[in-house]
Amino acid sequence: MDAQDGRYIDPADQWVLDPETGTYRLRLDPGDAPAATVPPQGGRRARREEQRSVQAPAPSREGGRRGAVKPSRKAKRSTKGKVLMWTAGTLGFVLLAGSAGAYFLYRHFDGNISTVDVGTAGNKHATSHDAVNILVIGTDSRVGLSGKYGDSDNIGHADTTLLVHVAKDRSNATVMSIPRDMIVGIPACPTKQKDGSTKTIPATARADFSPRFNESLGQAGRDPGCTMRTVTQITGLSIDHFMMVDFEAVKTLSTAVGGVPICLTHAIDDTDPKGQGSHLKLTEGPHRVAGEQALQFVRTRHSLTNGSDLDRIHLQQQFLGSMIREMKSGDTLSDPGKLFKLANAATSALTVDTGIGSVAKLTGLAKDLSKVDPKNITFTTLPVKDNPAEIKYHATVVVDETRAPQLFRAIKNDVSLTGSPKKKPAAADARLRGPKADPSQVRVAVYNGGGPQGAARTTQEWLQGTKGVGHAGNGGNAPGAKQQRTSLTYGPDQADQARALAAMMGLPASALRPGTDAAGPGADMTLTLGADYRGAGVAFADPDKPPADIQTARADKKECVG
């Protein structure tokens, strides 16, 4: 609720029906003239009714007006709680900004949202008790834009793509940008047709110069579900939902919040010799961008250091972090008019999967995800390297197979990239503390539970031949399913041997699995190599620590880029 002259007023009651026009207007005081008009219902579902104003809700069977909002029964709320939270559910970063509880003009906002059925590529449930992965797709579609930004027949590709991962305990979130010019294979993709049938788009194998990641959408009839499947194939992470927006979304959202603060390390004049580029002109230092200028900012690349899409990603990350701060600011949350514009712009901009295809589902998801503090939201970029197939221009990149898996594991394990990783149990840390046995006293049987072929034999030979281990046996392939992480199981009377072996191999404390029964003289510990095995003598990455050489930026931190 809002306070006026000592009175508490529900913001829902500040919208009243004007009998002369038949539209709703915002009234901050009963004696004031109306301050704003609710725009006509403008979602893509209702485009045919775009000239019709929002009418008074029809009577319901229960009496009163259908959709009418009852005044709050609470007489007072805390300062934090007195603001009406409108709809969330725009991009992943808008969800994380914390808007929730959209009950006013429910049908108006609900009618704004467009949906796509992605089948098994997504999650049919809007909320989850587990980690959540949302793919935010900024498409470069020019349809309906009259050639303003290029070919108006361009149906759009995955121009800007962000994987938003929210940890299971909602303590942190990672937003990973995926370069559009990355050469990847695109898996086969079943897509829903207008007549209700399903058409499977064939897979496209990776070649030297194609396909690029952005072709996972739009090309050959691929829908957002195809982009979701492509990301899963690259990262090993299942995607729960997608949210897709076009060029206009950046303009409307940035305007709705009153502009987005940005900062440049050097002046930008983004017009290349051929007349292309975003045409952005800004001086060095801080600025506030909105509308057309905000769109120019996130599209800028020609005047950046390398003139590449990778440089542009850094600008986009700064913009999104700043957008989150603006949405959480008191200037936004305490302004009913601004909140309405933001909610209307957000829902009008969206195309989502059917699992979150309504205001109710989006706000449920938003309420869940808004628990993440901006200081624990980290932006990063999928690690890539120049495409080795290109000799001269290096217009494309490929996944860095050395660094990228480390980041994927960190995301999968809910590791925060902000520098405040999950707390490891004290008992796990204690496993590495204490005396170590002499290598000649160490006995271990080595099994391959997920490493490359021959990993057990290679490690067994390395332990005995290089490290002087008393006994290392080759157990071959471990029974059961493959495991992602290497583990060392030992008895309580083998703790000194376990610490010695862990030091030799660079095993983290979490890899040690103490048993409860004494092993007895001459018994072997059990070392099972997982998918994290990178070779004999190569230290294992600690799953509770973020990769050391990954570029990051924090949502709560203001910084200059360029």
PDB file of all heavy atoms in Angstrom, residues 88-104:
ATOM      1  N   ALA A  88       6.108  -9.800 -12.829  1.00  0.00           N
ATOM      2  CA  ALA A  88       7.480 -10.040 -13.260  1.00  0.00           C
ATOM      3  C   ALA A  88       7.381 -10.661 -14.630  1.00  0.00           C
ATOM      4  O   ALA A  88       6.453 -10.399 -15.365  1.00  0.00           O
ATOM      5  CB  ALA A  88       8.158 -10.987 -12.289  1.00  0.00           C
ATOM      6  N   GLY A  89       8.315 -11.528 -14.923  1.00  0.00           N
ATOM      7  CA  GLY A  89       8.189 -12.298 -16.132  1.00  0.00           C
ATOM      8  C   GLY A  89       8.481 -11.533 -17.372  1.00  0.00           C
ATOM      9  O   GLY A  89       7.630 -11.399 -18.232  1.00  0.00           O
ATOM     10  N   THR A  90       9.661 -10.976 -17.467  1.00  0.00           N
ATOM     11  CA  THR A  90      10.110 -10.490 -18.764  1.00  0.00           C
ATOM     12  C   THR A  90      11.345 -11.304 -19.032  1.00  0.00           C
ATOM     13  O   THR A  90      11.258 -12.511 -19.039  1.00  0.00           O
ATOM     14  CB  THR A  90      10.336  -8.967 -18.749  1.00  0.00           C
ATOM     15  OG1 THR A  90      10.924  -8.597 -19.960  1.00  0.00           O
ATOM     16  CG2 THR A  90      11.132  -8.493 -17.592  1.00  0.00           C
ATOM     17  N   LEU A  91      12.515 -10.721 -19.135  1.00  0.00           N
ATOM     18  CA  LEU A  91      13.736 -11.484 -19.311  1.00  0.00           C
ATOM     19  C   LEU A  91      14.127 -12.137 -18.002  1.00  0.00           C
ATOM     20  O   LEU A  91      13.585 -11.836 -16.942  1.00  0.00           O
ATOM     21  CB  LEU A  91      14.865 -10.550 -19.764  1.00  0.00           C
ATOM     22  CG  LEU A  91      14.538  -9.634 -20.932  1.00  0.00           C
ATOM     23  CD1 LEU A  91      15.715  -8.736 -21.235  1.00  0.00           C
ATOM     24  CD2 LEU A  91      14.163 -10.413 -22.147  1.00  0.00           C
ATOM     25  N   GLY A  92      15.124 -13.056 -18.063  1.00  0.00           N
ATOM     26  CA  GLY A  92      15.595 -13.682 -16.839  1.00  0.00           C
ATOM     27  C   GLY A  92      16.050 -12.650 -15.840  1.00  0.00           C
ATOM     28  O   GLY A  92      15.847 -12.788 -14.641  1.00  0.00           O
ATOM     29  N   PHE A  93      16.672 -11.557 -16.322  1.00  0.00           N
ATOM     30  CA  PHE A  93      17.159 -10.547 -15.385  1.00  0.00           C
ATOM     31  C   PHE A  93      16.025  -9.753 -14.773  1.00  0.00           C
ATOM     32  O   PHE A  93      16.152  -9.246 -13.664  1.00  0.00           O
ATOM     33  CB  PHE A  93      18.167  -9.607 -16.064  1.00  0.00           C
ATOM     34  CG  PHE A  93      17.632  -8.821 -17.218  1.00  0.00           C
ATOM     35  CD1 PHE A  93      17.035  -7.594 -17.049  1.00  0.00           C
ATOM     36  CD2 PHE A  93      17.771  -9.323 -18.508  1.00  0.00           C
ATOM     37  CE1 PHE A  93      16.561  -6.873 -18.121  1.00  0.00           C
ATOM     38  CE2 PHE A  93      17.294  -8.602 -19.593  1.00  0.00           C
ATOM     39  CZ  PHE A  93      16.688  -7.379 -19.404  1.00  0.00           C
ATOM     40  N   VAL A  94      14.883  -9.645 -15.453  1.00  0.00           N
ATOM     41  CA  VAL A  94      13.732  -8.981 -14.861  1.00  0.00           C
ATOM     42  C   VAL A  94      13.145  -9.844 -13.760  1.00  0.00           C
ATOM     43  O   VAL A  94      12.758  -9.366 -12.712  1.00  0.00           O
ATOM     44  CB  VAL A  94      12.666  -8.676 -15.931  1.00  0.00           C
ATOM     45  CG1 VAL A  94      11.414  -8.113 -15.298  1.00  0.00           C
ATOM     46  CG2 VAL A  94      13.223  -7.693 -16.947  1.00  0.00           C
ATOM     47  N   LEU A  95      13.125 -11.138 -13.981  1.00  0.00           N
ATOM     48  CA  LEU A  95      12.666 -12.050 -12.936  1.00  0.00           C
ATOM     49  C   LEU A  95      13.515 -11.874 -11.693  1.00  0.00           C
ATOM     50  O   LEU A  95      13.023 -11.790 -10.577  1.00  0.00           O
ATOM     51  CB  LEU A  95      12.769 -13.500 -13.414  1.00  0.00           C
ATOM     52  CG  LEU A  95      11.703 -13.952 -14.418  1.00  0.00           C
ATOM     53  CD1 LEU A  95      12.002 -15.364 -14.865  1.00  0.00           C
ATOM     54  CD2 LEU A  95      10.325 -13.881 -13.799  1.00  0.00           C
ATOM     55  N   LEU A  96      14.830 -11.819 -11.905  1.00  0.00           N
ATOM     56  CA  LEU A  96      15.738 -11.707 -10.775  1.00  0.00           C
ATOM     57  C   LEU A  96      15.631 -10.345 -10.103  1.00  0.00           C
ATOM     58  O   LEU A  96      16.080 -10.152  -8.994  1.00  0.00           O
ATOM     59  CB  LEU A  96      17.171 -11.964 -11.242  1.00  0.00           C
ATOM     60  CG  LEU A  96      17.395 -13.386 -11.770  1.00  0.00           C
ATOM     61  CD1 LEU A  96      18.785 -13.508 -12.348  1.00  0.00           C
ATOM     62  CD2 LEU A  96      17.198 -14.403 -10.679  1.00  0.00           C
ATOM     63  N   ALA A  97      15.058  -9.385 -10.808  1.00  0.00           N
ATOM     64  CA  ALA A  97      14.898  -8.071 -10.207  1.00  0.00           C
ATOM     65  C   ALA A  97      13.861  -8.088  -9.092  1.00  0.00           C
ATOM     66  O   ALA A  97      13.828  -7.201  -8.272  1.00  0.00           O
ATOM     67  CB  ALA A  97      14.485  -7.052 -11.270  1.00  0.00           C
ATOM     68  N   GLY A  98      12.998  -9.095  -9.073  1.00  0.00           N
ATOM     69  CA  GLY A  98      12.164  -9.294  -7.901  1.00  0.00           C
ATOM     70  C   GLY A  98      10.731  -8.835  -7.988  1.00  0.00           C
ATOM     71  O   GLY A  98      10.034  -8.794  -6.992  1.00  0.00           O
ATOM     72  N   SER A  99      10.215  -8.461  -9.164  1.00  0.00           N
ATOM     73  CA  SER A  99       8.814  -8.099  -9.242  1.00  0.00           C
ATOM     74  C   SER A  99       7.955  -9.335  -9.052  1.00  0.00           C
ATOM     75  O   SER A  99       8.276 -10.392  -9.550  1.00  0.00           O
ATOM     76  CB  SER A  99       8.516  -7.472 -10.601  1.00  0.00           C
ATOM     77  OG  SER A  99       9.277  -6.316 -10.784  1.00  0.00           O
ATOM     78  N   ALA A 100       6.825  -9.234  -8.356  1.00  0.00           N
ATOM     79  CA  ALA A 100       5.969 -10.394  -8.140  1.00  0.00           C
ATOM     80  C   ALA A 100       4.586  -9.937  -7.741  1.00  0.00           C
ATOM     81  O   ALA A 100       4.368  -8.784  -7.376  1.00  0.00           O
ATOM     82  CB  ALA A 100       6.572 -11.289  -7.061  1.00  0.00           C
ATOM     83  N   GLY A 101       3.606 -10.818  -7.832  1.00  0.00           N
ATOM     84  CA  GLY A 101       2.277 -10.558  -7.305  1.00  0.00           C
ATOM     85  C   GLY A 101       1.375  -9.766  -8.205  1.00  0.00           C
ATOM     86  O   GLY A 101       0.601  -8.924  -7.746  1.00  0.00           O
ATOM     87  N   ALA A 102       1.385  -9.993  -9.516  1.00  0.00           N
ATOM     88  CA  ALA A 102       0.570  -9.194 -10.427  1.00  0.00           C
ATOM     89  C   ALA A 102      -0.876  -9.651 -10.402  1.00  0.00           C
ATOM     90  O   ALA A 102      -1.241 -10.585 -11.069  1.00  0.00           O
ATOM     91  CB  ALA A 102       1.131  -9.317 -11.832  1.00  0.00           C
ATOM     92  N   TYR A 103      -1.703  -8.966  -9.629  1.00  0.00           N
ATOM     93  CA  TYR A 103      -3.113  -9.346  -9.615  1.00  0.00           C
ATOM     94  C   TYR A 103      -3.994  -8.274 -10.223  1.00  0.00           C
ATOM     95  O   TYR A 103      -5.119  -8.536 -10.604  1.00  0.00           O
ATOM     96  CB  TYR A 103      -3.577  -9.683  -8.192  1.00  0.00           C
ATOM     97  CG  TYR A 103      -3.406  -8.596  -7.159  1.00  0.00           C
ATOM     98  CD1 TYR A 103      -4.325  -7.574  -7.040  1.00  0.00           C
ATOM     99  CD2 TYR A 103      -2.320  -8.633  -6.284  1.00  0.00           C
ATOM    100  CE1 TYR A 103      -4.171  -6.598  -6.078  1.00  0.00           C
ATOM    101  CE2 TYR A 103      -2.160  -7.659  -5.323  1.00  0.00           C
ATOM    102  CZ  TYR A 103      -3.093  -6.639  -5.223  1.00  0.00           C
ATOM    103  OH  TYR A 103      -2.934  -5.685  -4.272  1.00  0.00           O
ATOM    104  N   PHE A 104      -3.484  -7.056 -10.332  1.00  0.00           N
ATOM    105  CA  PHE A 104      -4.316  -5.982 -10.880  1.00  0.00           C
ATOM    106  C   PHE A 104      -4.250  -6.005 -12.403  1.00  0.00           C
ATOM    107  O   PHE A 104      -3.186  -6.180 -12.998  1.00  0.00           O
ATOM    108  CB  PHE A 104      -3.857  -4.633 -10.333  1.00  0.00           C
ATOM    109  CG  PHE A 104      -4.691  -3.493 -10.835  1.00  0.00           C
ATOM    110  CD1 PHE A 104      -6.039  -3.440 -10.531  1.00  0.00           C
ATOM    111  CD2 PHE A 104      -4.136  -2.503 -11.601  1.00  0.00           C
ATOM    112  CE1 PHE A 104      -6.811  -2.392 -10.993  1.00  0.00           C
ATOM    113  CE2 PHE A 104      -4.903  -1.463 -12.066  1.00  0.00           C
ATOM    114  CZ  PHE A 104      -6.244  -1.396 -11.764  1.00  0.00           C
TER     115      PHE A 104
END
